[in-house]
Amino acid sequence: MAGAAKILVVGPLGVGKTTLIGTVSEIEPLSTEASMTRAGVRVDPDVDSGKRTTTVALDFGRLTIDGDLVLYLFGTPGQQRFLPAWRDLAKGALGALALVDTRDLAASFDALDNLEDLDLPFAVAVNVFPSGPRYDADDIRAALDLLPDTELVTCDARDRTSSIRALIALVRHLIHVATESS
Ligand SMILES: Nc1nc2c(ncn2[C@@H]2O[C@H](COP(=O)(O)OP(=O)(O)O)[C@@H](O)[C@H]2O)c(=O)[nH]1
Ligand SMILES: [Mg+2]
C-alpha cells in the first residue's frame, strides 16, 4: 500500500490521542491544546481531576510506514459537544484508530457509534493505563459490541513501537476491507 492516507485517531477525553500522535509523529505534532478555565468546569468532566489541558480543536501528525505509505493523523476531540466538528473531520478519511481506556469503556461508545454511522473502517486500540482493569479481549469485544473482523490491539500511547503497531493493525484492516469490496 503506497500513497497517503488520512487517518482519524478518536476517543474520549484523556484516552491518549494527543500522546499517541505526539509519540509517533515524524514532524513536530500540531496540537491545539488550550488551558481549561473555570468556564470548562460545567462541560469537561475531568477539569477538576488534575488534568489541566484538553484538546479543543485537533491534533495533527504524520507517520511514514514502510517508506511509502504516509499516514496523516488527525486527533479528533472526544467530547460530546464536538461531535459536529468530528463529522467534518471524517471527510476524506480512510479509517480510524479508536482508542479505549478500560477504566471507562463506555466513554468510547460515542466515537464508535459515529464511526459506524459514517461507515468509516476502524481498529480499536486499548491504551493501557496502570490503574486500569485488565480484561480478556473477548470481554472487551463484547462490551464494545465489536464485529468479529474488527482488529483489537493493546498499546501504550507513550511508546512509539507499540503505537505504530496499533496503526499497522488499522492499515492491515483497511487493506482487508479494500480487498473485500473490490
Ligand atoms: N499510563 C499511561 N498514561 C497515558 C498513556 N497515554 C496517555 N497517558 C496520559 O494520560 C493523559 C491524557 O492523555 P492525552 O493524550 O492528553 O489524551 P487525549 O485527551 O485523548 O488527547 C496524559 O496525562 C498522558 O500523559 C498511556 O498509555 N499510559
Ligand atoms: Mg488531546
Side-chain angles (χ1 to χ4, degrees):
M1 200 164 168
K6 176 180 177 180
I7 300 292
L8 302 187
V9 177
V10 306
L13 182 63
V15 77
K17 302 177 297 294
T18 301
T19 304
L20 184 137
I21 290 173
T23 303
V24 303
S25 186
E26 60 210 8
I27 54 172
E28 187 66 33
L30 172 70
S31 180
T32 48
E33 300 273 334
S35 289
M36 289 190 290
T37 63
R38 297 301 301 173
V41 169
R42 274 177 300 113
V43 283
D44 283 320
D46 35 2
V47 74
D48 281 328
S49 66
K51 191 174 191 293
R52 280 289 159 259
T53 61
T54 185
T55 309
V56 292
L58 79 154
D59 301 292
F60 176 73
R62 188 190 74 199
L63 171 67
T64 307
I65 289 178
D66 280 345
D68 58 3
L69 173 61
V70 181
L71 303 184
Y72 290 97
L73 304 170
F74 292 76
T76 63
Q79 298 103 311
Q80 192 68 40
R81 66 198 156 108
F82 288 122
L83 284 177
W86 196 98
R87 286 172 180 276
D88 283 341
L89 274 167
K91 286 178 188 145
L94 270 196
L97 187 67
L99 293 179
V100 303
D101 176 349
T102 58
R103 294 171 302 182
D104 190 357
L105 290 172
S108 286
F109 288 173
D110 282 342
L112 294 172
D113 283 349
N114 276 277
L115 294 174
E116 279 165 15
D117 286 351
L118 294 164
D119 262 332
L120 198 62
F122 61 91
V124 175
V126 177
N127 186 23
V128 178
F129 289 83
S131 61
R134 308 293 160 109
Y135 299 119
D136 288 341
D138 285 346
D139 293 337
I140 293 176
R141 284 184 173 282
L144 298 176
D145 204 14
L146 302 183
L147 294 172
D149 72 346
T150 301
E151 295 268 358
L152 174 67
V153 296
T154 59
C155 72
D156 180 335
R158 299 163 304 175
D159 179 77
R160 191 158 197 268
T161 306
S162 143
S163 297
I164 289 176
R165 202 175 290 138
L167 287 162
I168 287 173
L170 169 62
V171 169
R172 198 164 51 218
H173 180 64
L174 295 180
I175 291 169
H176 175 74
V177 169
T179 315
E180 295 263 287
S181 62
S182 64

